[in-house]
Amino acid sequence: MANTDPFPPLRTTTSSPDETSALGAAIGRRLLPGVIVLEGELGAGKTTFVKGIARGLGFASAARETGSPTFVLAREYPGRLRLIHIDLYRLESIGPETADWLEETFEQDAVVAVEWGERARALLPRNHLWIRLSHAEGDQRLIECRTQGSVAFKESGR
Ligand code: ADP
Ligand code: MG
């Protein structure tokens, strides 16, 4: 099941939360353990996208289980793979303890999705999936995904 289907850079627009979640699910179905960095202002849809990832990883009640973790540093959900959902929004600065914790977490055998991940730029592993969501007209969101370094995926459709 090792894979190496290439994952070409993706740039697309969604028109609803469901569409954003569906894109997250499509990617979630192909994920292997690794780090996903989500950039984008408040309300851009990062948490919505991670809910989709959770669904793609096989969480039946993902919507309830992955409510926005904006007020907590991390939550874990068991699934086909473990999903660790981190939100750095509330962190004003990253002290040494948090830095150690983040570095250890990034090395876990899990999918680690980090909202506001750019705030930990210096700690991010070289290889990660980078996703940026931005507001467009109305309910539209521009979503850009690309791999940084080498990131492995399951083959599509398996
Ligand atoms: P973030 O985690 O980036 O702060 P959330 O996912 O928590 O964002 O919230 C996104 C908000 O925008 C939700 O209220 C959602 O219903 C709304 N929304 C409207 N259109 C979209 C879209 N196309 N994609 C994602 N969210 C959308
Ligand atoms: Mg959020």
Side-chain angles (χ1 to χ4, degrees):
M1 105 160 177
N3 119 68
T4 33
D5 253 8
F7 184 88
L10 178 72
R11 185 183 157 92
T12 190
T13 302
T14 63
S15 305
S16 68
D18 282 353
E19 271 184 37
T20 296
S21 176
L23 181 61
I27 289 174
R29 281 191 284 276
R30 295 189 52 197
L31 287 174
L32 293 169
V35 173
I36 304 170
V37 175
L38 296 119
E39 287 190 16
E41 59 193 12
L42 272 185
K46 301 179 295 299
T47 298
T48 302
F49 192 92
V50 175
K51 284 179 187 174
I53 288 177
R55 201 151 47 81
L57 288 172
F59 300 112
S61 52
R64 181 167 48 82
E65 291 188 339
T66 62
S68 174
T70 295
F71 296 97
V72 297
L73 200 55
R75 283 182 179 178
E76 291 190 28
Y77 308 91
R80 175 173 70 76
L81 298 175
R82 257 191 326 149
L83 169 64
I84 302 176
H85 183 187
I86 300 175
D87 190 337
L88 300 179
Y89 180 65
R90 297 270 148 190
L91 269 192
E92 279 172 20
S93 63
I94 297 179
E97 266 178 43
T98 304
D100 286 349
W101 177 82
L102 282 170
E103 279 182 320
E104 278 167 26
T105 304
F106 291 154
E107 284 170 14
Q108 298 272 317
D109 187 25
V111 172
V112 184
V114 200
E115 295 187 43
W116 299 92
E118 72 274 19
R119 296 188 176 184
R121 197 178 299 282
L123 304 170
L124 292 173
R126 199 171 58 80
N127 302 321
H128 60 263
L129 180 61
W130 177 88
I131 297 171
R132 180 162 64 203
L133 299 96
S134 3
H135 284 90
E137 210 174 307
D139 276 351
Q140 298 198 337
R141 300 292 190 272
L142 172 65
I143 303 180
E144 298 162 275
C145 309
R146 68 177 136 82
T147 54
Q148 298 280 27
S150 109
V151 180
F153 289 87
K154 285 175 62 179
E155 286 170 53
S156 39
R158 305 284 164 95

